[in-house]
Amino acid sequence: MKKLFAIFGNPVSHSKSPLMHNLTFQGLNYDACYTRHLLEKGNTLKETFFTLGLKGINVTIPHKEAAFNACDTLDPFAQKIGVVNTIVEREGSLHGYNTDAPGFLKAISEFNHVKTVLFLGAGGTAQSTSNILRDEGYEVTLLNRSASRLEKFTAKGFTTYTFETFKPKVYDLIINMTSAGLEDDSLPCPKEILDMVIPKAKAAVDVIYGKETPFLKCAKSYNIPTKDGSDMLLYQGIIAFEYFTENTYSFDEIKPHMQKAFLL
Ligand code: NDP
């Protein structure tokens, strides 16, 4: 029987995930279909999942914490960070994973000799990625506009600053983890801060994909290597696909099919 998958979010119309997964199902002759569902209330996630007769979902803004709460079983990493973006149904119970963080880790692995990382932003994406980076031996510092969001990072032992308290040092990698530049022309922090840290960095990365944000434009003006969030999106999708198909296909078998979504 054809297996059904979906992405849940609000908004969800912009998501590339249906295209990525459907191209891969087709390319691998896997009998499945992937759609999108506008989920308004996070607390209806589980009920909606079963009503739609789904085998698995990806979850995007703003329901990743609700997804965590809806799961019956959690992968140890998802359990640790409290954020789930991939759910698979097995024998009536929901199993939760986080594929954003390993996807991000793989996306930045091309930058060698990186030890210190400065995150601009402290939202949900920063929460999962900061933990995996620290587990891998990177030293992560967070800089955020509001102090309140930094509290849980400080409690977990990360060095954190607001724009007002920031004391710059040399960071190898500067990452825009905010939504600044997604739908507007704003920078993630005051330009003076970028002018202090970017020239000394080895590279700059934005998690926003498909456009050159003001942050990436600024980093390019200093002639350092840059990349946007496309690889992160691709890699989190490949890892989710491995879970959806219970590891029937390897990362390298999935990649050429899913990558086609970025050429269309
Ligand atoms: P959240 O809403 O959880 O957090 C948003 C963060 O951005 C907060 O730290 C907020 O700071 C900051 N922020 C928002 N606007 C501004 C601004 N104008 N100036 C300075 N800071 C700002 O978002 P997420 O963590 O879920 O998502 C962050 C970004 O990551 C989004 O752009 C999203 O599209 C992208 N993303 C990309 C993925 C990919 O695969 N490439 C996967 C997942 C996310 P404050 O606390 O002050 O409000």
Side-chain angles (χ1 to χ4, degrees), residues 7 13 65 71 76 84 91 94 136 155 163 182 190 194 208-209 234:
I7 178 152
S13 58
E65 279 184 31
C71 290
V84 160
E91 293 169 357
L94 298 186
E136 291 295 314
F163 301 160
L182 182 65
L194 294 181
I208 295 172
Y209 57 87
L234 173 65

Side-chain angles (χ1 to χ4, degrees), residues 183-204:
E183 282 170 339
D184 56 29
D185 280 333
S186 62
L187 285 168
C189 66
K191 176 92 169 40
E192 306 79 72
I193 293 184
L194 294 181
D195 290 337
M196 281 190 280
V197 293
I198 289 181
K200 295 179 183 147
K202 294 186 174 125

Side-chain angles (χ1 to χ4, degrees), residues 14 60-61 64 100 120-127 143-150 163 176-182 184 186-189 206-209 228-234 236:
H14 67 285
T60 185
I61 293 175
K64 292 184 189 181
D100 284 332
L120 309 173
T125 309
Q127 202 176 318
L143 173 64
N144 195 53
R145 182 177 59 181
S146 71
S148 57
R149 267 203 231 244
L150 289 168
F163 301 160
N176 178 25
M177 284 276 166
T178 74
S179 38
L182 182 65
D184 56 29
S186 62
L187 285 168
C189 66
D206 204 315
V207 292
I208 295 172
Y209 57 87
D228 78 355
S230 303
D231 278 353
M232 176 185 180
L233 180 70
L234 173 65
Q236 66 72 31

Side-chain angles (χ1 to χ4, degrees), residues 69-121:
N69 293 325
C71 290
D72 302 300
T73 311
L74 289 158
D75 159 79
F77 180 71
Q79 171 86 64
K80 177 170 152 184
I81 58 168
V83 185
V84 160
N85 78 321
T86 300
I87 297 180
V88 181
E89 179 274 330
R90 293 189 196 104
E91 293 169 357
S93 70
L94 298 186
H95 297 252
Y97 304 90
N98 184 292
T99 71
D100 284 332
F104 176 76
L105 186 65
K106 191 163 173 65
I108 64 160
S109 64
E110 70 187 58
F111 299 116
N112 299 319
H113 311 297
V114 168
K115 172 90 183 144
T116 52
V117 180
L118 179 66
F119 274 29
L120 309 173

